[in-house]
Amino acid sequence: MKLKLAVLAALLPIAASAQKTNFSITGHIGKLDKPAKVYIDYMDNGTSHEDSSLVVNGEFKITGTVAGITTSRMAFDHTGQGKPHAIYAPNADVVYIYFGKENMLYTSADSLVNAKVTGSKVYDEFEAYNKQIGGTIMALTKAVNAEFNAATPEQQKDTAFVKAVDARYRKNIAARNEKQMLFAKNNPNSYFGLVALSESAGTHVDADKVNPIFKALNPALRATDMGKELEQRIAAGGITAIGKQAPAFTQNDVSGKPVSLADLKGKYVLVEFWASWCAPCRAGNPNLVKQYKLYKDKGFEIISVSLDNVKDKWVDAIAKDGLPWIQVSDLKGWNNAVGRLYGVRAVPQSFLLDKDGKIIGNTLRDETLNAKLAELFN
């Protein structure tokens, strides 16, 4: 009897954990079977999560717990080639959605992209919001790619044609941003009013334009993690502009030793935000290594702030990419204190500082960074 009670006691934490599940995403996608797999990444209260489910006879199910409404990316791997292929392959079957404490059902004969979604009030509101602002970024990007691909080979090589297509795309994005601002102003009690304002505010926030709309939002929305992040980004917009003194910070390196930005005064410093899971960051690392070798003896330093939350993955990426400069992180992912301080909402992102710690560049990457460094040191 004691043994049975001990086993029961051991199982209680598992049962308690299972009872906490408050969302499910179920799929009926044709007759697809193993090794097909569905991957999901979602952000809940500032913390990133990932999960997956094998597909058996067209069916999959993912369950979990969220504090409120969350944003997510779901990718369907039809052939079992792994998560990166599922997300980044040409014509990848990927959807970007919001969901809450609800039971969503995806039904389709062939894919997530073509699926009908039922059971989610949040998803319905998300769809209505997108109709008002002119569609998602993904939809606009898909449309411009289709326009380019439909052109003749001669047109695709024509600089004027390419510029015209790009100009139309940028005009559509700008129009969408304005509609988002209007949506946020007209819907202060809607979660997607907050989403609209956060997206349209961008990385370098125009505080005079954004702050009044933000202050008019429902206090409960401003108190969410997205609301707090946007408030920090609004504040950062005023302190990370060109010519401003870079915000001071101290964070631990891989060995747990505190490193302060102030200790690097007297050098030109690149404050680089990245993560081991960020493909564009990793792709740009070889160029950073080259630039560092060129100028480190001339007074150039890099301090990389990682938005990772798993130390082993962070350390492994540093070793694989051969990054010899200063690396720091608090391993809180998107809640990284320095990232929040600098208003970082996408990586890679960087800030170039002069010898006095003033910001002299905040959008430099690859060739633009190389040109600026050559100007400074040559």
Side-chain angles (χ1 to χ4, degrees), residues 58-338:
E59 297 189 357
F60 69 86
K61 188 169 186 177
I62 295 171
T63 61
T65 305
V66 291
I69 297 175
T70 180
T71 179
S72 69
R73 175 185 65 199
M74 193 156 57
F76 199 122
D77 180 9
H78 289 241
T79 55
Q81 296 184 65
K83 185 176 179 178
H85 182 270
I87 297 170
Y88 300 111
N91 300 316
D93 189 9
V94 181
V95 293
Y96 293 82
I97 60 169
Y98 287 83
F99 65 86
K101 303 173 184 179
E102 46 197 4
N103 302 311
M104 302 177 72
L105 174 62
Y106 276 75
T107 306
S108 171
D110 54 15
S111 64
L112 286 177
V113 171
N114 294 326
K116 179 181 179 181
V117 180
T118 55
S120 171
K121 181 181 178 182
V122 173
Y123 182 85
D124 293 340
E125 292 177 356
F126 178 52
E127 287 288 278
Y129 156 68
N130 279 317
K131 286 181 180 178
Q132 289 198 43
I133 65 169
T136 65
I137 289 291
M138 297 298 292
L140 294 179
T141 303
K142 184 177 180 180
V144 74
N145 287 339
E147 180 182 1
F148 180 79
N149 292 332
T152 65
E154 290 75 19
Q155 286 178 312
Q156 292 179 357
K157 295 177 183 177
D158 183 358
T159 303
F161 173 79
V162 173
K163 285 183 176 181
V165 171
D166 181 65
R168 283 192 292 274
Y169 174 67
R170 293 180 184 279
K171 183 178 179 180
N172 289 338
I173 294 295
R176 180 180 184 271
N177 286 348
E178 289 302 316
K179 289 178 182 177
Q180 285 181 306
M181 284 284 184
L182 185 62
F183 186 93
K185 188 180 294 185
N186 293 338
N187 296 274
N189 295 312
S190 166
Y191 180 82
F192 291 102
L194 172 60
V195 171
L197 187 61
S198 179
E199 286 189 6
S200 58
T203 301
H204 305 294
V205 180
D206 182 344
D208 291 339
K209 183 178 182 180
V210 174
N211 202 39
I213 303 175
F214 176 76
K215 292 297 185 183
L217 291 176
N218 188 305
L221 293 174
R222 300 202 306 270
T224 63
D225 184 73
M226 182 183 293
K228 292 175 182 176
E229 186 278 331
L230 177 55
E231 187 171 31
Q232 288 176 307
R233 199 165 4 120
I234 292 170
I239 62 176
T240 59
I242 301 294
K244 295 288 187 178
Q245 195 74 26
F249 65 84
T250 299
Q251 204 156 87
N252 289 352
D253 64 14
V254 293
S255 64
K257 178 184 176 182
V259 178
S260 295
L261 180 64
D263 295 338
L264 304 178
K265 273 196 175 181
K267 296 183 177 182
Y268 286 98
V269 178
L270 185 72
V271 181
E272 172 79 5
F273 293 90
W274 77 300
S276 65
W277 43 258
C278 168
C281 304
R282 303 292 294 274
N285 277 339
N287 180 66
L288 284 183
V289 171
K290 180 181 178 181
Q291 299 305 307
Y292 187 69
K293 288 179 179 178
L294 281 173
Y295 302 116
K296 66 184 179 72
D297 294 331
K298 296 183 179 182
F300 177 54
E301 187 55 79
I302 301 176
I303 180 168
S304 283
V305 182
S306 170
L307 302 191
D308 277 279
N309 54 18
V310 178
K311 184 173 182 178
D312 288 347
K313 292 182 178 180
W314 173 41
V315 174
D316 184 59
I318 294 170
K320 284 184 176 178
D321 292 2
L323 310 181
W325 53 80
I326 302 167
Q327 303 283 341
V328 300
S329 181
D330 59 12
L331 297 175
K332 294 182 179 179
W334 287 107
N335 279 329
N336 183 288
V338 183

